[in-house]
Amino acid sequence: MRPNSIRPRAAWPAALGATLLTLALAGAAHAAAPAANVNEARVIANAAVGKDWPTNGYDYAGTRFSPLKQINAGNVGQLGLAWSYDLESTRGIEATPIVVDGVMYVSASWSVVHAIDVRSGKRLWTYDPQVPRRNAFKACCDVVNRGVAVHEGKVYVGSLDGRLIAIDARTGKKIWAQDTIIDHSRAYTVTGAPRVFKNKVIIGNGGAEFGVRGYITAYDADTGKQAWRWFVVPGDPSKPYEDASMEKAAKTWDPAGKYWEAGGGGTVWNSMVYDPELNLMYIGTGNGSPWSHRQRSPAGGDNLYLASIVALNPDNGQYVWHYQETPGDNWDYTSTQDLILADLKLDGKTRKVILHAPKNGFFFVVDRSNGQFISAKNFVDVNWATGYDKNGRPIEIANARSADKPFDIIPGPFGGHNWHSMSFSPLTGLAYFPVQNVPLNLAEDKRWKGHGSNEPGQPMSGIGWNTAMQINAQAPKSKPFGALIAWDPVQQREAWRQDHVSPWNGGTLATAGNLVFEGTADARFLAYDATTGKKLWDSPTGTGVIAAPISYEVDGRQYVSIAAGWGGVYGQSQRASEGNVPGTVYTFVLGGKAPLPKFTEYQRGSLLAGVKYDPKDVAEGTALYVSNCVFCHGVPGVDKGGNLPNLGYVDKHFIEHLDQFVFNGPFASVGMPDFTGKLTPEQVEQIKAFIQGTADAVRPSQP
C-alpha cells in the first residue's frame, strides 16, 4: 500500500549489508578541567523558555520546535561556522545536545559527557563513567548514547552498562549513581536520554534482541532513591503480578511459549513525553523478544504492552491507558520512535493528540487524554497490512506471518522510520522526519530452541541475539531508499519530500524561522524551507549524521548546533560517505567565519588476498560468521565497512592470526567481544575460510 506521492527510490545502488547477507548465507578517558566560568544550571527541566534547549525534545511535548526566528528562510544562506568541538569518538553519535545558561551538555559514545562553553566552543569539563568495554557486546546497535537531562544544577546520564548518574553541572563531579538493571545475567543496556518530570529522573533500557523484560524506572532527582518502576510485559506467571496492568497483559500471552524465559521484550529505550495539564507521561515501547510471534506466544494473542503507546501517572508509575500499534509484533516493529504532543483541529474540534511515526510504516494520531485511536496512514510502502480499521486494529496481510516460507517484509526491522528524531511545527502544521527502507527478508527459524539458542547460522546468536528468525534466507526484492518528508497529520498525507542517497539519515529540527534542519548519511547538514521543502543551505560535516540538531540563543545571537558521528546498528557495517572524521559538534551562526576542521577520508585497504584456507571449511565458516560477526563487520569484500572495519579489506595479518584477536585479543579494550569458550580454534579456521573465500569470490577476474 502506498500513500499519495510516495515513490521509494533506489538512489543508492551500492551493496547494502542487509541485502548482501544473502551472499554470506549462501556461502559465497577524560580529566575534569577547571570550571570556574560555568554558570550553575538552575533551569527546571523541560521548561522551554525559547532561548535555551533544556531537554532532549526541547519541551515536555517533544516538539523539537524552536520559537527562535533570527535565522530564517530569508537569511539562512548566511550561516557560517562559529566553532567546532571534537568529541574524541570513532563510534556513533546519537545525542541531542542540551543548552542551559550558555553551557552545552552533550554525550558521546561510551556515555561520556562533555560540557562546552557555547560562546567559545571550549571544553569546560568531561565526565567519563568508565563503562567496561567488555559490555559492548550487550549493545545491539553500537555503543551510543542519546543525550543527557539537566535539572536544578545536575546533569543526568544513563551509562551503557545500566547506571543512572547525577553529575554536578558546574564541576562535572559525580553526585550519585544508581544501578538500574534488575538482572545482570541478562544483556540489559541504557542508551536513551533520561527525562525529568515532577522532580523525578526517568529512564528505560534496551536489550530485547538478547532476551530481556522491558521496564521503566523513576528516581528522585535529588537523592537518586527509586520512586517507582513499571514493567512493560508480564513476568513468570507462577509468581505474583506486580500490578493490575501486568495481570491484564498476561491474558494476551500464551504461557506455552514460556515467554518469560526470553524476557518478552518491550524495552523503553527512547521516547518519553509529558502533559502537565493531564498529569500524564507517555512512553513508546519496544519489540517482542524473540521477534517471532509464533515462537514467543504459540497460541497468538496481542502480547501487551509490546509496540504500544502507554500513558502512566508520573507520580507513582501506575498504568492509565495504552494503544497498541502493532498487536502481536512479529517484525521488530518497535514503537519507541519520538512521540510528539500537539493540539490539532480535527473535524472542527480541537483535540489533544499524540503524533507518532513508528517503525511499522504508519503515521498515527491518537487522543492523548484517553488513548482513543483517531487515524493512521502509511507514510512509506508497507506490505504487512492494508490499513487500520475504525477500532484502530491493523488489517493484516496473512502472508506477513507465514510459518512456512520467507517473507520480504516492508518496511523491514530497520523500520520505515527509526529512532531518528521527528519535529513538529505549529506554524506549518507539519511533522518532519526521515523515512527509509533497508531491504530484509524474514523467515521463522525452526531450529530455535528457546532463550540462549545458538546454532550456527542463527543471526548473531554467538553474542546473545535471539530473534527466532532467519534473516535474508532469500534475497530481498524491495529497494533501498532514504528521504526526508514533511507530513500533514490532519490530512494524513505527505506534503513534500527530499530524497537522500542512502537510508539512515539524521533527525530534524523545526524553527519559527520557517526552517527545517537535518543532517544526512552522506555527511551534509542542510536547511530547508519548512513550507515548501526547498533546500536553502548546506554545509559538509566530514562524517555521516544520525543525531538531531538544536537551536538556542546566547547574548542575542541565535545558534544552530549538530552533533555528528556515523554509527548505530546500520552504520557499524555500512556507510554513505567517504569521510572518516571523529565525532564532532558543529555550531553555526549568521556570519560565522570559523574554518571547518580538517576532513580525512575513510581508508579502505586492498581486497584481502593470500590467507590460506581449506575450501571445504567455507560452508561451516559461513554459518559461524553469520552467528558471530556479520551485523558488526558486514559481508567480507562486499560491504564498504562502517565505523567498524569490513574484514575483507583489513591487513592480511589480522585474518591469518584471527585467533589472536577473537580470543581475549587487543581489540577487547575498544569493545570487541571475547569469544574465548564460545568458539573453538577449529571454528576460527572455518571463519577465516569464509572471509578469504568470499573475498576471492568477489574479486574481479583478471583479463
Side-chain angles (χ1 to χ4, degrees):
M1 183 176 180
R2 178 178 298 181
N4 294 335
S5 77
I6 291 186
R7 299 181 301 278
R9 271 67 162 185
W12 187 38
L16 291 167
T19 302
L20 289 164
L21 177 54
T22 307
L23 184 152
L25 289 165
H30 306 288
N37 295 325
V38 183
N39 294 324
E40 186 174 5
R42 300 303 298 176
V43 68
I44 296 175
N46 314 320
V49 294
K51 294 184 178 182
D52 287 340
W53 190 280
T55 190
N56 192 272
Y58 175 71
D59 51 18
Y60 279 136
T63 61
R64 295 183 181 268
F65 173 79
S66 170
L68 301 176
K69 52 186 177 182
Q70 184 182 97
I71 302 169
N72 55 58
N75 63 19
V76 67
Q78 302 171 31
L79 275 185
L81 189 68
W83 51 263
S84 61
Y85 176 91
D86 186 355
L87 290 168
E88 301 176 350
S89 169
T90 61
R91 303 293 290 270
I93 301 296
E94 298 187 356
T96 298
I98 304 300
V99 173
V100 173
D101 291 342
V103 180
M104 177 182 291
Y105 306 94
V106 59
S107 58
S109 53
W110 298 109
S111 319
V112 177
V113 181
H114 299 251
I116 308 166
D117 183 333
V118 300
R119 293 174 174 87
S120 65
K122 301 300 183 183
R123 176 177 298 181
L124 297 171
W125 53 257
T126 59
Y127 176 80
D128 186 345
Q130 298 292 320
V131 173
R133 298 316 193 239
R134 66 177 181 273
N135 282 28
F137 79 93
K138 296 182 178 182
C140 73
C141 309
D142 207 354
V143 292
V144 296
N145 188 281
R146 294 187 189 87
V148 304
V150 176
H151 178 69
E152 292 291 336
K154 299 182 185 66
V155 178
Y156 304 92
V157 65
S159 66
L160 189 71
D161 58 342
R163 290 169 287 155
L164 179 65
I165 304 166
I167 307 164
D168 187 293
R170 185 179 63 85
T171 66
K173 301 295 186 181
K174 182 177 73 174
I175 299 173
W176 56 255
Q178 286 285 0
D179 183 357
T180 73
I181 303 304
I182 60 173
D183 182 357
H184 282 278
S185 71
R186 304 269 180 163
Y188 281 104
T189 55
V190 171
T191 58
R195 308 297 201 276
V196 181
F197 305 141
K198 306 188 76 171
N199 207 49
K200 296 180 181 65
V201 190
I202 304 170
I203 193 69
N205 50 68
E209 274 65 46
F210 295 83
V212 303
R213 183 189 183 195
Y215 58 90
I216 186 169
T217 314
Y219 298 87
D220 183 275
D222 297 321
T223 66
K225 181 180 179 180
Q226 182 175 321
W228 53 258
R229 173 171 287 153
W230 184 75
F231 286 94
V232 177
V233 299
D236 187 339
S238 69
K239 300 177 182 178
Y241 297 114
E242 287 83 1
D243 56 35
S245 69
M246 290 299 97
E247 185 173 6
K248 175 182 177 181
K251 297 175 183 177
T252 68
W253 293 72
D254 179 9
K258 296 184 178 180
Y259 55 85
W260 57 93
E261 292 184 356
T267 46
V268 185
W269 49 265
N270 188 40
S271 191
M272 293 177 268
V273 288
Y274 172 56
D275 185 331
E277 182 179 346
L278 297 174
N279 194 36
L280 291 176
M281 62 170 287
Y282 309 93
I283 62 174
T285 68
N287 57 285
S289 180
W291 289 2
S292 170
H293 184 217
R294 189 174 284 102
Q295 301 273 31
R296 188 176 67 239
S297 189
D302 287 351
N303 293 178
L304 295 175
Y305 299 93
L306 298 177
S308 299
I309 302 170
V310 180
L312 302 174
N313 183 328
D315 296 319
N316 52 27
Q318 290 184 354
Y319 162 92
V320 179
W321 60 254
H322 79 277
Y323 169 65
Q324 190 171 42
E325 294 172 327
T326 310
D329 169 47
N330 193 55
W331 311 280
D332 188 24
Y333 281 165
T334 65
S335 289
T336 48
Q337 292 61 46
D338 280 0
L339 302 167
I340 292 179
L341 309 185
D343 294 344
L344 297 184
K345 193 169 185 178
L346 301 168
D347 298 324
K349 181 182 178 181
T350 299
R351 298 186 67 172
K352 297 179 179 297
V353 302
I354 296 175
L355 309 179
H356 201 211
K359 271 190 180 182
N360 74 13
F362 287 87
F363 193 100
F364 292 87
V365 181
V366 176
D367 190 310
R368 71 175 182 268
S369 66
N370 55 21
Q372 179 184 353
F373 170 82
I374 297 175
S375 66
K377 180 69 174 180
N378 57 303
F379 56 85
V380 292
D381 279 3
V382 301
N383 71 351
W384 69 278
T386 60
Y388 278 69
D389 65 24
K390 64 180 181 180
N391 297 314
R393 289 193 68 87
I395 305 166
E396 288 193 16
I397 296 169
N399 287 343
R401 294 184 185 270
S402 173
D404 303 315
K405 59 182 180 180
F407 184 72
D408 198 4
I409 184 70
I410 304 172
F414 284 92
H417 169 227
N418 208 296
W419 62 268
H420 311 83
S421 304
M422 179 169 73
S423 60
F424 174 75
S425 170
L427 302 181
T428 64
L430 300 176
Y432 307 92
F433 56 101
V435 300
Q436 64 183 18
N437 184 50
V438 177
L440 277 182
N441 183 284
L442 297 178
E444 286 198 13
D445 187 348
K446 304 299 185 183
R447 299 184 303 157
W448 190 72
K449 299 177 181 178
H451 179 61
S453 182
N454 179 20
E455 297 290 331
Q458 292 177 329
M460 299 305 286
S461 60
I463 63 168
W465 282 59
N466 264 266
T467 64
M469 288 283 193
Q470 297 176 8
I471 299 177
N472 285 5
Q474 293 182 0
K477 297 180 176 63
S478 64
K479 302 297 183 183
F481 74 92
L484 168 65
I485 68 170
W487 189 265
D488 184 335
V490 176
Q491 300 296 324
Q492 283 286 32
R493 65 186 182 193
E494 181 184 302
W496 56 258
R497 78 154 46 205
Q498 284 281 352
D499 289 318
H500 295 321
V501 301
S502 165
W504 214 246
N505 297 284
T508 67
L509 159 71
T511 77
N514 200 40
L515 295 169
V516 174
F517 290 88
E518 184 197 27
T520 63
D522 62 337
R524 296 178 296 152
F525 186 37
L526 305 104
Y528 303 96
D529 185 296
T531 302
T532 67
K534 180 182 178 181
K535 191 185 84 166
L536 301 175
W537 172 86
D538 70 89
S539 174
T541 56
T543 178
V545 182
I546 51 179
I550 65 168
S551 190
Y552 51 93
E553 181 183 310
V554 176
D555 299 333
R557 304 185 76 188
Q558 182 183 356
Y559 295 85
V560 178
S561 294
I562 182 75
W566 184 242
V569 62
Y570 180 85
Q572 290 182 133
S573 62
Q574 309 294 329
R575 64 174 50 247
S577 86
E578 295 306 317
N580 195 35
V581 176
T584 303
V585 177
Y586 296 96
T587 293
F588 298 89
V589 69
L590 293 173
K593 301 294 185 183
L596 288 164
K598 183 180 179 180
F599 294 160
T600 57
E601 288 194 5
Y602 179 69
Q603 300 296 313
R604 186 169 59 247
S606 301
L607 187 61
L608 183 69
V611 176
K612 295 180 180 180
Y613 68 96
D614 189 334
K616 70 178 178 60
D617 285 339
V618 171
E620 289 83 358
T622 300
L624 289 165
Y625 188 89
V626 168
S627 291
N628 296 281
C629 316
V630 71
F631 286 1
C632 294
H633 294 290
V635 181
V638 177
D639 297 324
K640 292 182 176 181
N643 64 17
L644 299 177
N646 182 280
L647 300 182
Y649 293 104
V650 300
D651 187 276
K652 174 184 175 182
H653 167 81
F654 291 110
I655 306 305
E656 284 185 324
H657 302 282
L658 191 60
D659 58 327
Q660 297 178 18
F661 298 94
V662 300
F663 298 139
N664 197 29
F667 295 134
S669 63
V670 294
M672 182 173 172
D674 178 11
F675 291 96
T676 303
K678 298 179 180 179
L679 292 172
T680 67
E682 292 75 19
Q683 289 175 320
V684 173
E685 290 298 311
Q686 292 169 338
I687 292 173
K688 287 167 59 175
F690 168 72
I691 295 170
Q692 183 63 79
T694 303
D696 290 344
V698 301
R699 193 184 317 279
S701 58
Q702 297 296 322

